[in-house]
Amino acid sequence: MNFVDVMLTAAFLFFAGSMIGWCTEVLFRRLFTAKKWINPGFLTGPYLPLYGFGVAGLFGISLIPVNTGYAWLDAIIIILIMGVAMTVIEYIAGLIFIKGMKIKLWDYSNRWGNIQGIICPLFSFFWLVVSAFFYFVIDPYLLDAVVWFVNHMAFAFIVGIFFGVFFVDLGHSIQLSAKIRAFAAKHKTVISFEKLKESIKTKIESAGRRKASFIFPFRSNRTLNEELENFTAEQTEQAELTDKADKAVN
């Protein structure tokens, strides 16, 4: 493939991975964690860059020539590399947000064997499962899909629109994150993005005046600073109650 084809391929994989990952995370939160419809990630639109980079990375890894003489062993090696790569991507992304933006997009602190609450064995196992699914179910057809995409510029135009909206959204979200970072730095804390969204959603809906916005979870009658002040106070109070309960048990 020439340079243009490589760029189009990367754009297609990022587009597909980001949107599929977003849909997966929305359902995961609704069914297993928050039990609510929560817009995941730090962007507003229906895409998660972590998954976009992940799918592009998985495709790249699938092209690595591995030839041990045993097809099953080749598959295991590639899947292990994929699983490790996804865990590394998750760790780097989490670390960038926590250290650079003072924002915690996810939190595995309560999971066994976690490292800084960013990665843990359970979700690394999930990445292995995802990698196996990608290798056996998606990868055999992916090259054909990429070739089709490269040869259909009309769809490439749709992907171009996606990236246009994505970069506008990215600019808006960076501005929002900068405000949260300034608050977090001032109060020497790290803000849990998901819990903050849940807190705002719960307050809006408990007031009964209107339904909280799914697409714009920070849209509220209060300023962002007021919401952050309230949220931080709630988290501090909850931590103190948990600490007292632990001391009482011990």
Side-chain angles (χ1 to χ4, degrees):
M1 289 193 292
N2 58 40
F3 179 75
V4 173
D5 288 348
V6 169
M7 294 304 294
L8 285 173
T9 299
F12 169 73
L13 294 173
F14 184 86
F15 161 77
S18 295
M19 298 199 75
I20 293 171
W22 182 86
C23 293
T24 303
E25 289 287 347
V26 168
L27 290 174
F28 186 80
R29 281 159 173 71
R30 179 66 182 86
L31 298 175
F32 301 107
T33 55
K35 305 291 185 180
K36 297 176 183 178
W37 294 110
I38 299 290
N39 188 355
F42 94 110
L43 296 172
T44 299
Y47 27 71
L48 289 176
L50 173 66
Y51 285 86
F53 288 119
V55 169
L58 292 181
F59 178 69
I61 292 169
S62 72
L63 299 178
I64 295 175
V66 176
N67 187 11
T68 63
Y70 300 95
W72 61 270
L73 185 56
D74 295 345
I76 289 175
I77 291 171
I78 290 294
I79 290 168
L80 285 174
I81 294 172
M82 287 178 172
V84 170
M86 289 301 296
T87 298
V88 169
I89 290 172
E90 184 178 37
Y91 181 74
I92 292 172
L95 201 62
I96 288 172
F97 275 92
I98 290 174
K99 298 296 184 182
M101 301 300 293
K102 304 296 182 184
I103 290 172
K104 190 175 286 186
L105 292 180
W106 59 87
D107 189 3
Y108 301 150
S109 297
N110 295 326
R111 303 284 181 183
W112 173 83
N114 76 86
I115 298 176
Q116 296 172 268
I118 302 174
I119 57 174
C120 69
L122 176 62
F123 279 83
S124 292
F125 170 74
F126 287 158
W127 286 129
L128 280 174
V129 172
V130 168
S131 298
F133 180 81
F134 177 90
Y135 183 82
F136 290 113
V137 179
I138 299 176
D139 188 57
Y141 307 99
L142 191 56
L143 196 56
D144 289 337
V146 168
V147 170
W148 179 91
F149 169 71
V150 169
N151 292 323
H152 288 76
M153 295 308 294
F155 189 70
F157 178 72
I158 293 174
V159 175
I161 293 174
F162 160 84
F163 275 99
V165 175
F166 171 80
F167 283 116
V168 171
D169 189 347
L170 181 63
H172 164 74
S173 299
I174 288 174
Q175 285 184 325
L176 178 69
S177 299
K179 293 177 182 178
I180 296 176
R181 184 190 183 284
F183 177 91
K186 180 180 177 181
H187 292 79
K188 297 181 181 177
T189 186
V190 174
I191 302 296
S192 171
F193 218 58
E194 295 296 314
K195 288 181 181 178
L196 176 59
K197 288 179 183 178
E198 288 180 45
S199 174
I200 294 173
K201 180 182 177 72
T202 300
K203 283 186 178 62
I204 290 173
E205 295 185 347
S206 61
R209 289 191 293 271
R210 64 180 175 86
K211 192 171 180 63
S213 173
F214 174 76
I215 300 297
F216 301 102
F218 295 104
R219 182 177 289 170
S220 167
N221 293 328
R222 307 184 199 186
T223 66
L224 179 59
N225 245 37
E226 288 173 332
E227 292 290 2
L228 286 165
E229 291 280 2
N230 255 339
F231 173 72
T232 304
E234 286 173 0
Q235 293 296 299
T236 301
E237 183 181 351
Q238 187 176 342
E240 288 174 352
L241 289 173
T242 302
D243 189 47
K244 286 178 182 178
D246 289 343
K247 286 179 180 177
V249 170
N250 295 329

